[in-house]
Amino acid sequence: MKKIKASPDTSINFAGIKCKNPVFVASGTFGYGYEAADLTDINSIGAIITKTITLSPKAGNPPPRLAEVTSGILNSIGLQNVGVAAFCRDKLPLLQKLKTPVIVSIAGETAADYAAVARALNGKNGIAAIELNLSCPNLKKQIICQNAQLVNQIISRVKKACYYPVIAKLSPQVADIGALGILAESSGADALSVANTFPGMAINVNTFRPKISTVTGGMSGPAIKPLALRCVWETARRVRIPVLGGGGIATGSDAIEFILAGARAVSAGTANFIDPQAPATIAAEIAEYMKKKNISSLSDITGKVMV
Ligand SMILES: Cc1cc2nc3c(=O)[nH]c(=O)nc-3n(C[C@H](O)[C@H](O)[C@H](O)COP(=O)(O)O)c2cc1C
């Protein structure tokens, strides 16, 4: 009989990043990454992904830009951030004090924008990897992921501009997310993040007005979990690089579903707004599940959904 481990090993190596557990916080749902220090033990999180940073500061979209909807949130924050220079000056020193790996999310409208942000971050202490937010609009106001040539240019230019592992965060707003994953891999991405929010809309029936200023926005939270899970399954089995799965994860059981679908790590986003301790709880629930099922390493069940 297999001996039951007292405490299962939840540690993972994700594209060269050593994490004590596979639960990351999703970009834009944990500030720049250190602000929740009074609300949770940040060092118990597998990795932190910062709010997306751009070359110049951005004010974001006008309010209202968040609406609570059934089983989720609709947001159109619009990449509000301090810009890469202020990030390096004011935010990074605070992030450098953390023991948790920090992944910096970046965005732009052109490949040159992304490369310039990556260059500004290159060589700085306390950065474990770069996540490319490829869900924002490009100069033609098209979602970047819908332009294969641009995706290829962004990934290859960022790879040349910095030494960090590069995680390409895919938008689900494409016809074939598996094919997009293959394109990102062949362009040089070290890992994929699947997926960002899904487009959605909500209307105030008293005022007849959309609930957010931009009319449509990105839907996140439990409502999107089956949609995101399908994206992870369709991507992970077609690439060799690791996949960070996310979308609606709120419990250890949710996370295990993503791991069975092929994710090597998972992210929690909207769950942080309900409970900043959610990532730590999810990680503890994963360990509990492993102990109960006598699983010694997460790699034993990654992608093992029986279809
Ligand atoms: C308020 C809010 C802000 C977000 N900001 C960003 C962002 O700056 N960059 C990014 O890549 N994703 C951003 N996201 C998307 C999340 O990182 C995540 O991919 C998405 O919310 C799905 O996961 P969830 O259902 O666990 O929240 C944001 C989501 C929310 C709810």
Side-chain angles (χ1 to χ4, degrees), residues 21-35:
N21 67 62
V23 187
F24 298 5
V25 290
S27 177
T29 64
F30 219 69
Y32 288 98
Y34 55 83
E35 294 94 331

Side-chain angles (χ1 to χ4, degrees), residues 3-11 20 283-284 286-292 294-298:
K3 207 176 149 207
I4 299 175
K5 279 193 160 192
S7 50
D9 180 14
T10 56
S11 67
K20 58 180 84 68
I286 292 173
E288 223 168 274
Y289 171 89
M290 290 171 73
K291 197 171 173 186
K292 210 164 106 193
N294 211 5
I295 296 162
S296 53
S297 162
L298 283 171

Side-chain angles (χ1 to χ4, degrees), residues 26-29 50-52 66 73 75 77 79 105 131 133 169 195-197 218-222 224 246-249 267-271 273:
S27 177
T29 64
T50 68
K51 174 75 194 158
T52 295
L66 266 186
I73 297 179
N75 96 81
I77 303 293
L79 299 186
S105 168
E131 183 179 79
N133 177 357
K169 184 172 184 181
N196 212 312
T197 53
M219 176 76 194
S220 63
I224 69 163
I249 295 175
S267 64
T270 301
F273 294 111

